Amino acid sequence: MKDYKVDKAKFSASFCQEVHQVVCDIPVGKVSTYGEIAALLGVPQCSRMVGRALKQVPEGISVPCHRVVNASGRLVPGWTEQKQLLLKEGISFKQNGCVDLKKHLWNYSASE
């Protein structure tokens, strides 16, 4: 998570669009992590940049951001609707409140 060493200027709108596209590919009932998405895009050290891209989804674009959690399965702090959206999709949670990644982590390579 050392994306502070990356030239953030190169993460233009095209990077955000790539992040949005990957997130749109996550199937209902599955989740991914910021780090997994960053690795998939070839910049594994940029998980925080993925989070920033998801925070800045333009109006009129539907991106299922609720399907992205941190590496432990923890939800976005302060976003109370995220858990409800995931529960509606059949996502289960462990006792500590984190998504059960063993059951619900999206395997991108298996879906190709």
Side-chain angles (χ1 to χ4, degrees), residues 52-108:
R52 287 186 193 120
L54 292 176
K55 192 173 183 178
Q56 300 172 6
V57 175
E59 291 281 330
I61 296 178
S62 179
V63 179
C65 299
H66 65 282
R67 295 184 188 144
V68 183
V69 297
N70 83 354
S72 301
R74 195 171 58 230
L75 303 180
V76 176
W79 186 16
T80 55
E81 297 86 9
Q82 184 179 18
K83 185 170 186 176
Q84 295 307 313
L85 291 167
L86 292 172
L87 285 169
K88 286 180 185 176
E89 294 187 3
I91 301 291
S92 58
F93 292 82
K94 299 187 291 186
Q95 281 189 321
N96 65 3
C98 293
V99 170
D100 188 341
L101 293 177
K102 288 183 181 178
K103 289 182 181 178
H104 302 289
L105 186 63
W106 177 48
N107 182 348
Y108 179 80

Side-chain angles (χ1 to χ4, degrees), residues 36-56:
E36 291 281 329
I37 293 167
L40 185 61
L41 294 176
V43 286
Q45 74 279 19
C46 294
S47 57
R48 290 183 183 179
M49 295 301 294
V50 170
R52 287 186 193 120
L54 292 176
K55 192 173 183 178
Q56 300 172 6

Side-chain angles (χ1 to χ4, degrees), residues 14-31:
S14 63
F15 174 77
C16 292
Q17 289 172 347
E18 289 179 45
V19 170
H20 299 161
Q21 183 56 56
V22 170
V23 174
C24 286
D25 289 343
I26 302 170
V28 173
K30 294 291 181 182
V31 297

